[in-house]
Amino acid sequence: MKFMCTVVVDTDIAARQSEAAWARIGQLSKAYDQALVERGVFIAAEALVSADSARTVRVRNGDAIITDGPFAESKEVLAGFILVDVADADAAMEIARNIPMAALGAVEVRPVMLF
């Protein structure tokens, strides 16, 4: 089964991290991705540029409304994802518990819809 582990960070916590802390989180994240590759469950992972760079598109009555910023007003913003293929939801939760960025916010785990 495929699961998306969506990484959300608390912007207040993220803002308090030093450059050294960010470098360490980056190293831990790369190592974790590699461990998932070695386990044979890794599909893809990407980090996102700061939410300040986001633009949001909403289509209403056929008109596109484009706004600067993340999709919702919140101190928690989407920071990246890890897509895995594992046996079940318990295995996906085990992976999510060990994502280094979880220390800065949360990881939402959802099954990928099959069409």
Side-chain angles (χ1 to χ4, degrees), residues 55-78:
R55 296 183 77 199
T56 301
V57 177
R58 291 177 174 85
V59 177
R60 302 293 183 268
N61 299 317
D63 294 324
I65 303 164
I66 301 171
T67 55
D68 291 337
F71 64 94
E73 295 297 322
S74 174
K75 69 178 195 171
E76 290 189 333
V77 296
L78 182 63

Side-chain angles (χ1 to χ4, degrees), residues 15-97:
R16 292 192 300 265
Q17 303 305 303
S18 67
E19 282 188 40
W22 279 114
R24 179 72 178 139
I25 290 168
Q27 291 169 342
L28 290 171
S29 296
K30 286 181 184 179
Y32 191 59
D33 290 352
Q34 184 58 41
L36 296 176
V37 168
E38 291 168 6
R39 285 177 51 189
V41 300
F42 181 90
I43 297 172
E46 295 291 344
L48 300 174
V49 173
S50 167
D52 295 341
S53 67
R55 296 183 77 199
T56 301
V57 177
R58 291 177 174 85
V59 177
R60 302 293 183 268
N61 299 317
D63 294 324
I65 303 164
I66 301 171
T67 55
D68 291 337
F71 64 94
E73 295 297 322
S74 174
K75 69 178 195 171
E76 290 189 333
V77 296
L78 182 63
F81 71 90
I82 298 177
L83 182 61
V84 295
D85 190 354
V86 294
D88 55 32
D90 290 337
M93 292 303 296
E94 180 266 324
I95 287 170
R97 277 192 290 275

